[in-house]
Amino acid sequence: EKVLKKINPNLKVFLKACPLFVPLVEEGWRYDSVTYEVADRYLNDIMTYDIDTLVLGCTHYPLIRRTIQKVVGDGVTLVNPAYETARELKQLLAEKGLTNIQSQEEARKYQFYVSDQADKFMRFADSILPFDVNTTKKISIEEY
């Protein structure tokens, strides 16, 4: 809110916590009617302000963007901060000559580290990534 107001002091910013979105996504209920009902309940209040833009302020929220878009309607622009950040980072790296150009095969060599529930992460990742996650490594965050 502070950053947006700094950019444009005339903006009207409304905040809305949606704590059930995360467990719904992690449960794999991204397209479930329950998720739609929860989104409708959460966003009904904020829609009374006639908003034109909705910032998806959590890493999980873009994973249910279709459901959110149905609730808020096509007249509301959804902003995915992770995507926007990645675009800005790509541009910055290019400007600094720091891009790492790889072949498609090299780019597919991902390593995943998790602090808990490696099997659950693999199932979840397989449902949202365009490739299979074959292995994950569990690490103890207390060591860092």
Side-chain angles (χ1 to χ4, degrees):
E1 181 179 14
K2 289 178 186 178
V3 171
L4 291 172
K5 289 284 196 173
K6 187 181 274 190
I7 294 169
N8 182 348
N10 296 321
L11 282 179
K12 292 182 182 173
V13 179
F14 308 98
L15 305 177
K16 178 66 178 177
C18 302
L20 290 177
F21 283 177
V22 171
L24 288 167
V25 167
E26 290 182 352
E27 196 60 41
W29 295 1
R30 293 181 299 149
Y31 307 108
D32 195 278
S33 61
V34 171
T35 304
Y36 180 87
E37 175 67 26
V38 169
D40 190 51
R41 285 185 184 209
Y42 278 147
L43 301 173
N44 195 7
D45 294 349
I46 208 158
M47 293 308 295
T48 62
Y49 296 109
D50 196 31
I51 64 169
D52 59 9
T53 305
L54 182 63
V55 177
L56 305 175
C58 171
T59 56
H60 288 67
Y61 295 2
L63 299 172
I64 57 170
R65 68 185 170 279
R66 287 186 202 146
T67 299
I68 293 171
Q69 192 74 71
K70 278 185 194 175
V71 170
V72 300
D74 293 334
V76 176
T77 301
L78 301 183
V79 176
N80 178 349
Y83 177 76
E84 299 302 327
T85 300
R87 283 184 36 189
E88 289 292 321
L89 178 59
K90 181 180 179 183
Q91 181 179 339
L92 178 64
L93 290 172
E95 289 171 5
K96 303 285 184 183
L98 298 172
T99 54
N100 184 7
I101 306 301
Q102 298 176 336
S103 70
Q104 285 233 310
E105 187 175 310
E106 290 173 319
R108 294 274 183 192
K109 296 179 183 176
Y110 298 103
Q111 296 179 356
F112 295 93
Y113 299 89
V114 296
S115 60
D116 195 16
Q117 301 181 353
D119 290 340
K120 186 174 181 181
F121 170 80
M122 281 179 40
R123 287 190 305 275
F124 175 66
D126 281 339
S127 76
I128 63 168
L129 295 175
F131 55 86
D132 291 334
V133 176
N134 298 318
T135 59
T136 59
K137 182 175 180 183
K138 186 175 177 182
I139 60 168
S140 173
I141 59 174
E142 288 81 19
E143 294 177 16
Y144 295 92

